[in-house]
Amino acid sequence: MDEEGSRRRFLKSVGALSAALPAAAAAQHAGHASAKSEKYMFLAPAEVTFLDAAVARLIPADELGPGAKEAGVTYFIDQQLFGGYGVMAKMYRQGPHAEGTPQQGYQSPLTPQEVYRAAIAEINAGCAKQYGKSYDQLAAAQQDEVLRALEEGKFPLEAVPARFFFNMLLENTIEGFFSDPIYGGNRGKIGWKLVGFPGVAAVYTHLVEKHGVPYDALPVSIADILEGKAALDEHGHPKHVLLVRKD
Amino acid sequence: MATKLKPVDAVVVGVGLSGSILAKELAEAGLHVVGLERGRWRDTDPDFAMPHAHDELRYVKRHELMQDLSRETITFRNNTNETALPMRSLGSFRPGEGVGGAAVHWGGLTWRFLPWDFETRSRTLARYGSDHWPAECTSQDWGVTYDELEPHFDRFEYLYGVSGKAGNIKGKIIPGGNPYEGPRAREYPNPALKTAYAGALFKEAAEKLGYKPFPTPSAANSQPYTNEYGATINGCVYCGYCQFFGCEMGAKASPQTAVLPNLMKQSRFELRTRANVVKVNLDSAKKRAVSVTYIDSRGREFEQPADLVLLTSYVFNNVRLMLLSGIGKPYDPAANSGVVGRNYAYQTPSGVTLFFEDKVFNQFMAAGGLGMTIDEFNGDNFDHAWLGFIGGGFFQAATSGSRPIEVRPVPRGTPRWGAEWKHAVAKYFNRSFPITIQGACQSYRTNYLDLDPAYRDAYGLPLLRMTFDRHENEHKMSVWITNKAAEIGKAIGPSKMTVSPRTEKYTIVPYQSTHNTGGAAMGAEPATSAVNKYLQSWDVPNVFVVGASAFPQNGGYNPTGTVGALTFHALQAIKTRYVKRPGPLA
């Protein structure tokens, strides 16, 4: 079977759900859907601006559909930083602190909250020095250049190693793009639609041996179920709605 | 000042896989048993209920079911020249916390170690000679053989309703099963799980290459099953939220589904949750445990006297409690003396990822332990004479649940972010699958556990310190067997394939496996083992230390089946011999 063809058919069939809209239109659509409801708890406006720009380069909007910015990843990061993750609620924080070896992992005395606050300020200051502009004002290619320099440790930061911040940002961006929309990211299930992941699982007992048959289901989120938008079986599994294939 | 409580017959420290079974059996045998669990009570309802049970961020990334490191962690270094630093966030492994322990979020693969695994040293020397033995390797015989453990493997598999296909019943090779396994008394209690597409392709290719593929034995029950404790485990629905999750269906065997319904009805058993045991108190001669001290959630300290103390927590806490309590002589790698903390080992996981242009796999329709395996390259199932290493691992085309935060393979060379990454993720999320290898890990003089000199837990007690790196033997093994897996991968015909042997310096950062082993190793000699073949402390015979902490080295399988067998093995010795006549059993 021509899988690229089937992917196109899939996208066509969910066009009304924005996955197949041109990037700009999709962005507008997603923004319209929920940007207004965002109430930031931790991030300052300049930090929101920075993150909107940075996550849009990490997972860009393109012909496949919206990217991390449109998926609400900045808001996801805000919510995570304000919650237990942001203050290392389940992490060991006692000193003494030492940088250690790469094999020894996270050793910063700073919490993720403090890491974001310090690193974003330093990166904007560095961009101002090098380009005369804050990060969000740079051209896309320059933004990528800055991200690559952080990734390779060539854009020095004082508060934490540049790679450390870059890896945290990339990890949180991927989390925000693919986690359940209940956390504020993956808006419109953009991430799940991109890869064909159905979200909250249905009963697959009768399907697991249907080898090689694409499973084009409308993804179901935890919120869909809590809001009564998905039909459920007796164990609380959603009954997935399969998309009609239009050849 | 500790409040001294009324004495009981036995105290179980850690109510997980081993602790729940021992508590149930001993209470039924007439002992008054108290179970002390540092975490909280958890059960299928409400803790693993839909729809929140299917939340990848919460369970996989924010570690809902796993140890709270803010209270207690370990420190880690690769070797004694480094300063150990605390594991501040969970990475390489994910120990559990709370009733059921890590057996709540385990993946369900339920193996019997090979007969060879229990006699690693003597069989290697007999077949290859001492020149073949890896430098500094302290792997040893367990003091117990596969044949002695067989009835206990059987009992555990029937308790947990394991789904699989026997390959060797009483010496007769059964087609469709694992011809390399030790002889078993009878078939598995439940038929094997269904076969996913990845497993079907792997099976076909492996058979063409002359191997004998078989379904991976799994504790995700293939059909509703009622065990000897009267507990009913449901049939798996292949939802794919298994490893790192609690099972909303009650279909994955665990203490919650297989044991607790019975245990909690035992009139001679009492469970105390949020009871953190900080010490086993010994008599003045240090030959007998008299009580354990624990701290509750209000900070109150209690002393619970008991005739019998069973340490049944995860590897790290079993060893740490021994060290904090002075049970057995701490291991000293410089002098090569002492036993507690000796023979810490891990796993050497590696694998091959196959990418396709024209096939979809729906790897999210999955179960823990859903897969097709070959065992040709495990243990000593192949000739190591010219290979320069010992050990191996099983290969499995795994369909254990693809969720996109953690499982989103892209071909090697793909950037980590940006448009090209996005295209690759979109294309291959559903057009790839892995062949995973659960590589063995030998024990070495330089790998051990002891108490950290600097870092403390929430009670001000020293953290456990891990000094560990894999040795050349593991790297050589991983390269060789991973290339063998790649041959099968190639025969399946992917458009691209990533081959990833494990050869780098051990790092505690990326997740690898929650298969930590050893530190309270079992054996026939008190000079080289902390516990005897019945998992009884050589030095303090009314203390038994039960769990993977007893493995002298780790085999090329997931450890839980063998932990279950050791639990029943220890239980039999306690019930039939120790209770009647307390004292050393070996």
Side-chain angles (χ1 to χ4, degrees), chain B residues 125-161:
Chain B
L125 297 184
R127 184 170 176 184
Y128 304 109
S130 56
D131 287 354
H132 196 81
W133 192 250
E136 304 265 286
C137 180
T138 54
S139 294
Q140 63 196 33
D141 294 1
W142 295 43
V144 67
T145 62
Y146 172 83
D147 289 342
E148 286 175 88
L149 288 177
E150 199 288 328
H152 307 303
F153 276 116
D154 180 87
R155 183 117 188 255
F156 180 67
E157 288 167 357
Y158 271 72
L159 183 70
Y160 267 42

Side-chain angles (χ1 to χ4, degrees), chain B residues 193-485:
Chain B
L193 292 167
K194 291 171 184 282
T195 303
Y197 192 22
L201 292 181
F202 177 86
K203 182 171 190 276
E204 192 186 340
E207 279 171 349
K208 272 188 195 153
L209 291 168
Y211 303 133
K212 300 277 187 285
F214 60 93
T216 308
S218 170
N221 283 206
S222 58
Q223 59 187 13
Y225 174 79
T226 301
N227 69 14
E228 63 164 299
Y229 293 173
T232 297
I233 302 163
N234 288 320
C236 177
V237 299
Y238 301 86
C239 78
Y241 289 84
C242 204
Q243 189 183 17
F244 312 129
F245 297 83
C247 178
E248 75 276 9
M249 286 297 294
K252 177 170 71 176
S254 67
Q256 273 72 5
T257 53
V259 180
L260 293 176
N262 185 310
L263 172 63
M264 297 312 288
K265 284 186 205 145
Q266 296 291 332
S267 59
R268 284 180 292 268
F269 174 71
E270 185 196 340
L271 172 67
R272 296 181 200 147
T273 56
R274 303 192 193 278
N276 212 315
V277 176
V278 293
K279 196 175 183 189
V280 180
N281 303 299
L282 307 182
D283 68 3
S284 54
K286 299 210 175 283
K287 288 289 173 199
R288 184 180 156 74
V290 295
S291 63
V292 301
T293 298
Y294 69 89
I295 300 171
D296 77 357
S297 61
R298 292 168 63 179
R300 295 176 298 195
E301 201 171 309
F302 295 92
E303 185 182 345
Q304 175 62 65
D307 291 328
L308 179 61
V309 174
L310 305 169
L311 301 184
T312 53
S313 54
Y314 195 67
V315 171
F316 299 130
N317 268 343
N318 278 357
V319 175
R320 182 163 177 258
L321 268 178
M322 292 179 84
L323 292 167
L324 288 173
S325 309
I327 299 169
K329 191 179 169 198
Y331 174 64
D332 174 356
N336 199 14
S337 67
V339 290
V340 182
R342 186 177 183 271
N343 280 33
Y344 170 74
Y346 190 43
Q347 198 92 65
T348 310
S350 63
V352 178
T353 307
L354 284 67
F355 300 91
F356 297 81
E357 308 303 307
D358 59 348
K359 290 182 172 68
V360 296
F361 294 95
N362 299 335
Q363 285 277 92
F364 45 81
M365 299 177 182
L370 177 58
M372 196 57 73
T373 290
I374 66 157
D375 219 14
E376 268 76 2
F377 300 100
N378 205 349
D380 202 27
N381 297 344
F382 57 108
D383 188 356
H384 289 70
W386 309 106
L387 296 175
F389 65 83
I390 64 171
F394 78 88
F395 303 175
Q396 179 191 218
T399 302
S400 56
S402 285
R403 300 165 302 261
I405 299 177
E406 193 165 71
V407 185
R408 41 181 166 74
V410 290
R412 186 162 286 154
T414 306
R416 293 171 69 206
W417 51 278
E420 199 182 331
W421 172 84
K422 186 183 174 188
H423 276 75
V425 169
K427 181 168 181 183
Y428 291 115
F429 175 77
N430 203 16
R431 293 182 181 82
S432 59
F433 72 86
I435 301 173
T436 59
I437 302 176
Q438 203 70 263
C441 183
Q442 303 307 320
S443 293
Y444 296 91
R445 184 171 168 174
T446 48
N447 290 340
Y448 67 104
L449 305 170
D450 67 352
L451 293 176
D452 191 273
Y455 292 95
R456 307 264 155 171
D457 72 1
Y459 304 108
L461 298 168
L463 297 181
L464 194 72
R465 175 170 66 178
M466 174 196 294
T467 305
F468 176 75
D469 206 350
R470 297 187 185 93
H471 281 225
E472 191 190 354
N473 183 78
E474 280 57 55
H475 296 158
K476 276 186 178 172
M477 174 196 79
S478 191
V479 168
W480 196 82
I481 64 179
T482 307
N483 282 334
K484 284 287 170 190

Side-chain angles (χ1 to χ4, degrees), chain A residues 58 90 96 171 175 183 237, chain B residues 55 61-63 248 418 455:
Chain A
L58 293 174
K90 284 186 80 172
E171 185 177 2
E175 287 172 355
Y183 294 101
H237 296 105
Chain B
D55 183 340
K61 300 291 289 189
R62 301 292 178 260
H63 309 129
E248 75 276 9
Y455 292 95

